[in-house]
Amino acid sequence: MTATSDLGTARPASPDLLRSVFRRHPAGVAVVTARGRSGPVGFTATSLASVSAEPPMLSFGVATGSSSWPVIAASDHVGVHLLGEHQEELAATFARRGADRFGPPTAWREGPEGVPVLQGVPAWMVCRVEARVPAGDHRIVLAEVLFGDPTGHGRPLVYHQGRFSGLPH
């Protein structure tokens, strides 16, 4: 092993350091939804990950300070929607505090288990929440996939360098 000096300057861990590093890591964009007593809730997530094939499980992170957290914390089921590159505005709407996320022009319907399912997405899944694991100011939600549809149209939307974009052709 050869020592080189091209490592830059190491900085102590901080929220800013973590955000700066992950701006360089492209992530797929998803919207997570759930049905609450006073209506549907949802948020944009870039932390979606496949966890297991048998049984089919996934995970995502949600901030405990988010407006969606109280409903996600109490819900047995959630919807997970993979967004297409044509859905930047939808991703921005679900990421914006105080936005009317389910009002026009958002197209959605009630899906399996009463979960709000967004229309026009490349793929969606309805999942049963299996666990909510504390992780700092977030919870990692582990959920088993019950239903889904991967047949929608569109290339994936990604989040990179602090903005939404499509993949290069």
Side-chain angles (χ1 to χ4, degrees), residues 11 15 21 33 60 70 97 113 119 138-139 147 159-160 162:
R11 296 171 21 198
V21 168
T33 61
F60 59 86
R97 280 199 177 273
E113 305 296 339
Q119 295 179 332
H138 279 60
R139 294 297 181 269
F147 305 97
Y159 188 72
H160 183 241

Side-chain angles (χ1 to χ4, degrees), residues 3-148:
T4 63
S5 62
D6 62 352
L7 293 179
T9 302
R11 296 171 21 198
S14 69
D16 182 54
L17 174 67
L18 188 69
R19 282 189 289 271
S20 295
V21 168
F22 272 89
R23 277 189 199 102
R24 296 176 176 269
H25 178 70
V29 180
V31 166
V32 176
T33 61
R35 182 182 62 198
R37 288 186 189 162
S38 59
V41 301
F43 64 96
T44 300
T46 56
S47 59
L48 182 65
S50 172
V51 172
S52 168
E54 285 294 328
M57 294 186 78
L58 56 80
S59 70
F60 59 86
V62 56
T64 56
S66 79
S67 61
S68 297
W69 170 242
V71 173
I72 301 293
S75 293
D76 292 331
H77 297 89
V78 294
V80 178
H81 310 80
L82 305 183
L83 300 191
E85 64 184 357
H86 61 287
Q87 296 176 305
E88 284 185 44
E89 187 53 42
L90 184 66
T93 297
F94 276 84
R96 195 169 29 250
R97 280 199 177 273
D100 182 4
R101 296 172 180 161
F102 290 90
T106 302
W108 65 281
R109 61 180 167 74
E110 187 174 301
E113 305 296 339
V115 171
V117 174
L118 301 177
Q119 295 179 332
V121 296
W124 61 267
M125 296 167 281
V126 169
C127 308
R128 178 178 43 246
V129 175
E130 297 294 330
R132 296 167 187 88
V133 181
D137 62 355
H138 279 60
R139 294 297 181 269
I140 304 302
V141 177
L142 295 169
E144 182 176 354
V145 178
L146 302 177
F147 305 97

